[in-house]
Amino acid sequence: MSDFCSIVERFKGKRVVVFGDLVADVFVYGEISRISREAPVLILNHRETQVVPGGGANAIHNLWALGAKPVPVGMVGDDSEGQQLVDFFSRLGIDVSGIYVAKSYRTPTKMRILAGAIHSQRQQIVRIDSGGPIEEDKSRDGIEQKLKIALNDADGFLVSDYGYSLVTPYLVSKVRKDSIPATIDSRFSMMEFSKMTAATPNEPEVEAALGISIGNDASKLEWAGRTLLRKLQHDALLITRGKDGMALFERGKKTIHIPIHGTDEIADVTGAGDTVIATFTLALAAGASHYDAARLANYAGGIVVMKYGTRPVMYDELMKAIAEEDEEGS
């Protein structure tokens, strides 16, 4: 059995606290009927609506699917989407006591309308975002207490910041424990979070933070990674690069470029970043090195981009991918 398999076996039962923006991903599926007479738009016959965890909630779902015991700490609104997220986690046996329900808050929701013919893959034609950000500071007092309690016996700490104002650098630095790995994925505020175990930005986020364009320039990528690692004082930085794989930067070590796992014919990147940080954090919590954790996250990322919609990578799927690559390499 490979070292990777033994690491994944240690995923089981690991307690990872996830502090972040809990988003409801809504998928509305319809079949194309005709063009409307009222406007040049498609008329769809509605077939199905699905509400699944998105954002930080998707990271939680991925941790559960990989055999861990995620401990969510976050906020939802007193609305249908928020209730559906809480119910979803409750049905999986996930402890939802750390999820605060706020009457003055609307659960962040990303509604995707997908259309297609009866026997074809439905394509996204429009996305409607609603909800957030948080306006009441007093809500954070309860969140801080929930975080401190949850982190008492945690194996890892994952922070997922989608920009809805719940996650702040001050609060993260205040509750963080040096004894466990702590990771951050921040959509818009990467430069404000420092001294974490690792961050997992994608390349466009890195480009936006530094005001550069990397493209296929290896020297720019190297400069960007080293600059961020120095400024933010993380132990490691894992930059995800889509079809170009990943680049791992560590203090005092050479940069490691990891090619994409599987095919570069990507089906859907929705939620892939959540899968990557969930797998990476869980591997660190299981005692893996940054490199081994990055390799496992790369496996998981390669699996999830072949799925349509917001869906997690399952424990057995990750084990199968490792076994298949072991066979090819033997």
Side-chain angles (χ1 to χ4, degrees), residues 145-217:
Q145 281 305 112
K146 290 178 186 292
L147 266 175
K148 286 179 177 177
I149 293 168
L151 285 167
N152 277 336
D153 56 351
D155 298 302
F157 183 31
L158 188 162
V159 182
S160 177
D161 172 29
Y162 272 77
Y164 292 101
S165 303
L166 173 66
V167 179
T168 65
Y170 172 74
L171 183 51
V172 170
S173 63
K174 191 175 179 182
V175 302
R176 200 220 129 178
K177 290 176 171 249
D178 290 335
S179 57
I180 60 173
T183 59
I184 173 75
D185 182 14
S186 180
R187 179 63 58 87
F188 305 109
S189 304
M190 183 200 325
M191 302 303 289
E192 296 177 26
F193 294 89
S194 61
K195 298 180 180 178
M196 302 286 280
T197 304
T200 61
N202 60 39
E203 193 169 287
E205 289 166 350
V206 170
E207 291 175 326
L210 296 176
I212 63 169
S213 177
I214 295 172
N216 294 317
D217 191 327

Side-chain angles (χ1 to χ4, degrees), residues 184 189-196 199 226-235 237 251:
I184 173 75
S189 304
M190 183 200 325
M191 302 303 289
E192 296 177 26
F193 294 89
S194 61
K195 298 180 180 178
M196 302 286 280
R226 292 296 158 189
T227 299
L228 286 176
L229 199 59
R230 184 180 69 255
K231 285 187 174 182
L232 299 177
Q233 301 178 62
H234 300 322
D235 295 334
L237 183 76
R251 292 188 198 178

